[in-house]
Amino acid sequence: MDGPQSPSSTITSLNSPTLNPRKLSPYPSQSETMGSTSVATAPAVKAVVGDAGYVLEDVPHLTDYVPDLPTFTNPLQNNPAYSVVKQYFVNADDTVAQKIVVHKDSPRGTHFRRAGPRQRVYFESDDVHACIVTCGGLCPGLNTVIREIVCGLNHMYGVKKIIGIDGGYRGFYAKNTVTLTPKVVNDIHKRGGTILGTSRGGHDTTKIVDSIQDRGINQVYIIGGDGTQRGASVIFDEIRRRGLKVAVAGIPKTIDNDIPVIDKSFGFDTAVEEAQRAINAAHVEAESIENGIGLVKLMGRYSGFIAMHATLASRDVDCCLIPELPFYLDGPGGLFEYIERRLKDNGHMVIVTAEGAGQDLVSESIQAGNSKDASGNKLLQDVGHWLTQKIKDHFSCRNKMTINLKYIDPTYMIRAIPGNASDNVYCTLLAQSAVHGAMAGFTGFTVGPVNGRHSYIPFHRITEKPNNVVITDRMWARLLSSTNQPSFLTLKDVKEQEGPAEMLEENHLCTDDRAVKEEIK
Ligand SMILES: Nc1ncnc2c1ncn2[C@@H]1O[C@H](COP(=O)(O)OP(=O)(O)OP(=O)(O)O)[C@@H](O)[C@H]1O
Ligand SMILES: O=P(O)(O)OC[C@H]1O[C@](O)(CO)[C@@H](O)[C@@H]1O
Ligand SMILES: [Mg+2]
């Protein structure tokens, strides 16, 4: 059987006694979303509950709200490249476990629908009219994802009508579109940025869905971070409310790696690799001069993954500061004391700070306004300049010690480069998984690897909370042991940081989500 739903177990509806979809659902209730026009709507959360605590958090399907849709043979069945591959098509029942470290009696936990091609599709190739949009900040690999969506649609499914939306969400209603063909996108993966342009703000749901409807678009590929996926979720809600046969697929983009559930985001590896160049430069500068300090600022608004991984990779870093780590400057166990000791012991040091680190401290000393960008994200104070000044002031005070501090801010240089080899392969898989999902009629999903297997994840799981570094986790312990920096933590801080035991598990960049487990209890 190859259909949208797993044949096993029960489909949990809005009235399920097992899960409480109102608490899980980011969507308004049916009565809230239904206007005067009456269309069939699917349950806000699709969950299949099985034995031993198994839960499939499924994604919506066009058949949930558009009745009697015909299906077609997947053209890949006759594609010379793919038809020879045994088991190329994904079994309709395949799901991917979010939790892979299990104990004898522990519940099997949350699963997601496995991504990949299905035997039957819900679009005829000639009828597909796809569009691609990129939103939010830049990230290495954006162009690769665009390229591979275009090539995947064209080469695998014979789709010819593909357009690009110019300049993010507002491009749907304020700009002309761009025609995308395999020829147009052939070389773009070698360039940084996005050939489609991007923007923050400008998300007008009604105008966007009007534009989708007016242009006859029936597959929407939305590449962007947490804000973008929130925008994609409300676009999907409106499309479903209007009863349109339009598949909405999100491809998660975030250089900060702050999207939960997925193993890691594309561009992250490239960013960590590129950050090594800045850290090397800081180290060369610092060790060439007496009491040299190299300070490098890396991206990471609320999540310090780039700083943490760049530090671990480099081994030249003596101190890493991230948004998740409360630190302090003065007194025993503080940053100044550590710098002094390190300079006395080693003659030089390298500090890496994520841009979001120490924002509370910076705001205390600089009268911070509450400015936001066009998407409503808080604009951060420059921790790099602030730290530079603070360190210089501290050591020059009463001629304490002569130091030489060099500050390097490579943030935009890192963000603007093309994806590296491994990110390019990763982007290809993301794009192809999104294409397979949309062709198979799935909608309202974000695609991404969960424990190494590409999966379709409902929007609300991606947007409900950010992925953060857990500083009571083993990865941060490795960092502390590599840098020898103070932990800056009191026992009380540790207790507050600690979640249940599973929060302390390692293996993945992403942190586990407890919401559903709480629901199931
Ligand atoms: N809650 C929301 N509802 C609808 N649209 C949103 C929402 N949040 C953000 N958006 C829209 O999504 C787009 C991108 O959002 P944002 O600028 O926050 O970047 P992002 O996708 O989070 O990427 P990144 O933060 O990694 O650069 C913007 O056009 C913004 O208007
Ligand atoms: O200057 P912009 O374009 O607003 O982007 C800066 C932000 O974008 C990010 O790279 C996320 O995409 C953050 O790390 C950073 O704070
Ligand atoms: Mg964001």
Side-chain angles (χ1 to χ4, degrees):
M1 157 171 177
D2 194 87
Q5 291 171 353
S6 165
S8 66
S9 325
T10 49
I11 304 290
T12 302
S13 74
L14 278 170
N15 300 320
S16 162
T18 318
L19 290 172
N20 177 353
R22 281 311 305 154
K23 269 176 88 182
L24 286 172
S25 171
Y27 307 134
S29 68
Q30 284 189 38
S31 56
E32 284 160 340
T33 55
M34 298 292 276
S36 48
T37 41
S38 170
V39 288
T41 56
V45 170
K46 285 174 75 177
V48 181
V49 181
D51 295 339
Y54 170 98
V55 177
L56 164 62
E57 282 200 53
D58 207 355
V59 294
H61 193 271
L62 292 171
T63 50
D64 293 343
Y65 65 91
V66 186
D68 306 323
L69 281 178
T71 63
F72 310 92
T73 302
N74 190 326
L76 281 168
Q77 289 188 19
N78 306 315
N79 182 311
Y82 296 101
S83 55
V84 290
V85 180
K86 269 194 194 159
Q87 295 187 341
Y88 184 70
F89 291 96
V90 166
N91 187 307
D93 290 344
D94 284 357
T95 60
V96 177
Q98 183 175 17
K99 188 172 160 63
I100 52 166
V101 179
V102 288
H103 305 143
K104 193 159 55 78
D105 300 322
S106 64
R108 292 179 60 204
T110 302
H111 291 62
F112 298 106
R113 192 169 279 281
R114 185 180 172 195
R118 267 57 186 175
Q119 300 273 3
R120 299 203 65 78
V121 292
Y122 282 76
F123 292 92
E124 262 189 310
S125 306
D126 288 345
D127 291 341
V128 174
H129 186 190
C131 77
I132 307 173
V133 64
T134 52
C135 312
L138 294 184
C139 180
L142 273 169
N143 278 333
T144 315
V145 177
I146 297 169
R147 182 189 192 280
E148 297 306 323
I149 293 173
V150 174
C151 292
L153 279 167
N154 187 288
H155 297 154
M156 296 195 291
Y157 288 99
V159 171
K160 300 279 184 301
K161 275 184 282 175
I162 312 166
I163 56 170
I165 305 298
D166 185 354
Y169 278 133
R170 60 166 57 89
F172 272 105
Y173 54 87
K175 299 263 193 86
N176 290 327
T177 57
V178 187
T179 302
L180 297 174
T181 62
K183 199 167 169 206
V184 169
V185 299
N186 188 42
D187 279 342
I188 64 172
H189 60 296
K190 296 173 187 164
R191 281 183 254 158
T194 156
I195 58 154
L196 298 177
T198 183
S199 64
R200 299 194 189 272
H203 187 286
D204 183 321
T205 315
T206 306
K207 284 191 191 169
I208 291 170
V209 179
D210 284 351
S211 158
I212 290 169
Q213 200 169 0
D214 294 348
R215 293 177 202 271
I217 292 168
N218 52 18
Q219 290 187 7
V220 185
Y221 295 92
I222 301 178
I223 311 167
D226 56 330
T228 306
Q229 302 302 316
R230 262 179 222 113
S233 176
V234 289
I235 289 171
F236 163 67
D237 281 347
E238 178 60 14
I239 282 172
R240 190 180 56 181
R241 194 187 71 78
R242 296 188 192 186
L244 305 176
K245 187 195 168 190
V246 178
V248 180
I251 296 99
K253 172 244 44 136
T254 156
I255 198 167
D256 295 353
N257 195 44
D258 55 3
I259 292 192
V261 183
I262 62 171
D263 294 346
K264 70 177 169 189
S265 48
F266 75 81
F268 175 73
D269 274 357
T270 306
V272 170
E273 205 170 290
E274 188 66 9
Q276 301 303 300
R277 299 207 309 140
I279 294 173
N280 284 344
H283 186 234
V284 168
E285 288 285 347
E287 69 173 353
S288 306
I289 193 159
E290 197 181 344
N291 290 334
I293 302 175
L295 172 62
V296 179
K297 184 175 80 172
L298 298 175
M299 275 185 170
R301 217 187 301 223
Y302 303 112
S303 303
F305 287 102
I306 299 180
M308 176 169 79
H309 281 253
T311 296
L312 275 166
S314 154
R315 304 279 160 182
D316 284 335
V317 180
D318 302 281
C319 185
C320 175
L321 303 171
I322 58 171
E324 295 87 339
L325 174 75
F327 69 92
Y328 51 96
L329 302 177
D330 295 293
L335 184 63
F336 292 152
E337 183 194 71
Y338 175 60
I339 294 176
E340 195 172 330
R341 194 170 69 240
R342 199 73 198 121
L343 291 179
K344 279 186 183 146
D345 289 351
N346 208 33
H348 69 274
M349 77 179 295
V350 175
I351 303 172
V352 164
T353 180
E355 62 179 330
Q359 286 298 308
D360 48 339
L361 297 179
V362 189
S363 307
E364 271 171 26
S365 57
I366 302 174
Q367 267 315 325
N370 206 12
S371 347
K372 299 196 167 155
D373 69 17
S375 296
N377 301 305
K378 191 173 185 301
L379 288 175
L380 301 180
Q381 305 293 318
D382 189 337
V383 65
H385 280 301
W386 174 82
L387 212 46
T388 302
Q389 206 48 55
K390 282 285 174 189
I391 295 171
K392 283 183 176 170
D393 289 350
H394 175 80
F395 286 99
S396 66
C397 175
R398 279 178 268 127
N399 292 328
K400 206 174 183 12
M401 195 179 213
T402 305
I403 57 142
N404 282 289
L405 191 151
K406 302 285 189 288
Y407 171 43
I408 300 178
D409 177 353
T411 44
Y412 289 109
M413 295 188 71
I414 288 174
R415 212 173 67 163
I417 63 173
N420 67 11
S422 93
D423 269 325
N424 274 341
V425 175
Y426 177 24
C427 290
T428 305
L429 294 186
L430 284 170
Q432 292 191 355
S433 297
V435 166
H436 292 313
M439 289 300 297
F442 293 111
T443 180
F445 68 86
T446 301
V447 67
V450 177
N451 296 316
R453 291 287 184 180
H454 280 250
S455 314
Y456 299 135
I457 305 158
F459 281 139
H460 69 93
R461 288 305 306 273
I462 293 290
T463 56
E464 66 196 354
K465 73 176 181 89
N467 185 31
N468 291 117
V469 172
V470 179
I471 57 169
T472 47
D473 196 348
R474 286 193 203 108
M475 204 50 141
W476 189 251
R478 284 185 192 108
L479 181 138
L480 291 180
S481 118
S482 146
T483 60
N484 287 313
Q485 71 189 66
S487 76
F488 301 110
L489 290 177
T490 62
L491 256 181
K492 183 170 162 278
D493 293 328
V494 174
K495 285 229 159 67
E496 278 167 12
Q497 282 272 337
E498 269 176 9
E502 55 266 71
M503 288 294 282
L504 305 180
E505 283 167 8
E506 55 164 344
N507 291 335
H508 295 283
L509 295 175
C510 63
T511 51
D512 205 354
D513 187 357
R514 284 168 286 158
V516 169
K517 289 187 203 113
E518 292 302 319
E519 288 290 335
I520 294 164
K521 270 181 200 162

